[in-house]
Amino acid sequence: MSKTGQKSKSAKAERTRKPADQPWGNYVYCIVESSNLEGILDRAPEGLETAQNLELVSSAGFSAVVSLVPLSEYGEQALDANLCDVKWAASRVMCHEGVVEYFASRRAVIPLRFGTIYVDRKSIGRMLAERARELGSLIERLRGREEWGVLIYCDQSKLIEHQMAGSSTIRHLLEREKSATPGQSYLLSKQIEGLKAKAAREEILSAVDAMKYALVASSEQSGSTSDSMRRRPEQPDLIARLSFLVQTKLFDEFRSTAERLAKTYLSSGFRLELVGPLPPYSFVLEPGTREPVP
Amino acid sequence: MGEEFTDILDNSELSLLETIDHVLNRGLVISGDITISVADIDLIYLGLNVVLGSVDTINQALGKRESAKIVDGRVKNSVVDQSG
């Protein structure tokens, strides 16, 4: 996966020497346990900035995976400006993910959000020591698990069609509409549209609820979805996006549940997609904890 | 594991959206020395075409990723394996 493959130790040492002529920060990607990390960096990808290799900063049994970044681009103001540049941001975001995935496929990992930068490396060690207990229980919760996204789509016209076939109320109104005067007809059609929309809304809520319930039973935890329903214009049928923390060895059961749900709800116009396995970004908080507002 | 490479582009885009959302909006928040006020960068809104322009970087970064479409009750696996 690493585009540079294996590097000789001396070549690596050469590149990580901090050029003295400009200030550098330490960008942190994720946190792992310090035990058994011998050789883990040998085939690791490079950091966000070319020729800056990954390094480990360890304390209290934990190691932060870091690399050097120039403060000319990653200092507060510079970073805010750079993040508005899609190309700049996209490649760094993907690189961050690449590093996290490299470790996630080899160890239990706590993924960090984009943008954790320390000027002084000693602060990283202090942070790890201060948070060691919290990090310990977090990594215990994540060990042997992976995150899976479940996307639920609904073809609403198919849903409505399915419902109309089953609704005597709507059928009755449609009958009346046939023999109605223009005025009555207008009112009736409004009533019918309203009923259809209401029934569709209710069915969608109830279906998503039922699916979530079934999937939670086949997993360990479900993630918050409150803010994840950002509109995606390129996917108008997407009605819900759920996240689940699933034990790797129990994934088959989770997938069977998803298949069963897909079959059950197919005729009402629903379809499911699974995305994963992903590093457990969505599960870094204690269940039930609210994330602090930035 | 079946290795059907169906709808690769759709699955890549999907994985991409999920990844961007994760890295920018989720993950553990630790206050470093530099605070960024990145409330909600929606690269997604800015046009996926631009992002997909850096396909090289993306392909290198995404590891073995599986996106399973459940179509007509059957699971179709598309294993997008970028390793190698």
Side-chain angles (χ1 to χ4, degrees):
Chain A
M1 179 178 98
S2 162
K3 59 184 186 276
T4 52
Q6 232 160 359
K7 304 167 237 190
S8 72
K9 280 209 163 145
S10 56
K12 277 166 73 84
E14 201 56 44
R15 280 187 288 216
T16 43
R17 212 174 14 186
K18 215 196 286 198
D21 61 346
Q22 61 163 310
W24 293 80
N26 299 274
Y27 184 98
V28 189
Y29 302 81
C30 56
I31 294 170
V32 296
E33 289 162 311
S34 298
S35 50
N36 272 337
L37 293 181
E38 184 70 35
I40 200 168
L41 292 180
D42 290 349
R43 303 177 91 90
E46 285 180 343
L48 292 187
E49 295 301 312
T50 356
Q52 295 308 324
N53 293 319
L54 299 181
E55 300 171 68
L56 299 170
V57 175
S58 309
S59 175
F62 291 96
S63 297
V65 179
V66 312
S67 73
L68 292 175
V69 289
L71 290 179
S72 56
E73 284 187 57
Y74 290 81
E76 259 181 65
Q77 284 177 329
L79 192 54
D80 272 346
N82 277 326
L83 285 168
C84 294
D85 175 352
V86 175
K87 273 205 153 112
W88 190 98
S91 65
R92 271 82 180 170
V93 164
M94 298 317 293
C95 181
H96 177 115
E97 174 69 7
V99 172
V100 173
E101 287 201 14
Y102 175 84
F103 283 89
S105 59
R106 293 163 171 79
R107 297 288 185 283
V109 148
I110 300 172
L112 261 56
R113 188 176 298 194
F114 187 91
T116 307
I117 299 162
Y118 287 85
V119 175
D120 180 3
R121 204 168 265 214
K122 289 201 208 75
S123 307
I124 302 177
R126 266 200 296 274
M127 175 273 292
L128 292 173
E130 278 167 18
R131 300 178 80 135
R133 184 176 319 162
E134 177 195 329
L135 295 173
S137 58
L138 176 52
I139 221 161
E140 231 14 79
R141 271 199 298 111
L142 301 179
R143 196 191 309 282
R145 278 99 171 162
E146 50 203 23
E147 175 169 343
W148 281 84
V150 177
L151 290 93
I152 305 175
Y153 299 84
C154 181
D155 176 351
Q156 299 213 24
S157 52
K158 190 170 173 193
L159 171 64
I160 287 172
E161 209 178 285
H162 181 255
Q163 289 184 312
M164 274 177 54
S167 168
S168 55
T169 316
I170 292 179
R171 274 204 309 274
H172 174 67
L173 287 172
L174 285 169
E175 277 301 314
R176 281 176 55 193
E177 206 194 355
K178 284 182 196 158
S179 52
T181 65
Q184 286 173 334
S185 176
Y186 174 76
L187 287 172
L188 276 170
S189 72
K190 281 280 149 206
Q191 200 179 349
I192 291 166
E193 290 315 302
L195 280 174
K196 279 192 209 171
K198 180 163 181 274
R201 270 195 310 271
E202 283 170 0
E203 176 59 22
I204 285 174
L205 285 174
S206 134
V208 170
D209 223 41
M211 290 185 207
K212 186 173 178 185
Y213 187 77
L215 290 165
V216 164
S218 298
S219 66
E220 297 225 325
Q221 207 184 324
S222 78
S224 77
T225 57
S226 51
D227 71 344
S228 59
M229 272 325 299
R230 201 166 284 121
R231 268 180 313 111
R232 297 187 190 179
E234 64 278 0
Q235 294 177 305
D237 280 359
L238 181 63
I239 55 163
R241 192 207 165 282
L242 311 176
S243 312
F244 296 90
L245 189 66
V246 183
Q247 279 196 52
T248 309
K249 61 190 182 195
L250 298 179
F251 173 67
D252 285 340
E253 188 195 318
F254 181 80
R255 171 191 270 169
S256 302
T257 304
E259 280 176 332
R260 180 175 53 80
L261 290 169
K263 281 194 189 101
T264 306
Y265 287 92
L266 179 66
S267 57
S268 346
F270 292 94
R271 117 184 130 75
L272 267 68
E273 267 181 28
L274 302 185
V275 183
L278 309 168
Y281 284 88
S282 306
F283 295 97
V284 294
L285 296 175
E286 289 292 325
T289 317
R290 188 73 68 81
E291 191 180 304
V293 178
Chain B
M1 206 176 342
E3 316 257 314
E4 291 178 298
F5 285 81
T6 50
D7 295 328
I8 286 289
L9 187 59
D10 277 344
N11 290 336
S12 292
E13 284 178 17
L14 191 60
S15 278
L16 197 56
L17 294 177
E18 296 299 304
T19 296
I20 292 172
D21 182 52
H22 272 192
V23 173
L24 290 179
N25 301 312
R26 303 169 191 239
L28 191 65
V29 178
I30 290 182
S31 43
D33 294 330
I34 290 168
T35 318
I36 55 176
S37 57
V38 178
D40 237 18
I41 294 186
D42 280 322
L43 290 177
I44 299 160
Y45 282 19
L46 293 176
L48 201 57
N49 288 341
V50 182
V51 175
L52 283 177
S54 1
V55 155
D56 258 337
T57 321
I58 291 163
N59 283 342
Q60 276 156 10
L62 286 182
K64 192 172 185 134
R65 176 70 64 77
E66 188 178 317
S67 181
K69 273 197 155 99
I70 303 184
V71 179
D72 299 330
R74 279 182 316 113
V75 174
K76 275 165 67 178
N77 273 14
S78 308
V79 179
V80 187
D81 190 335
Q82 309 289 357
S83 61

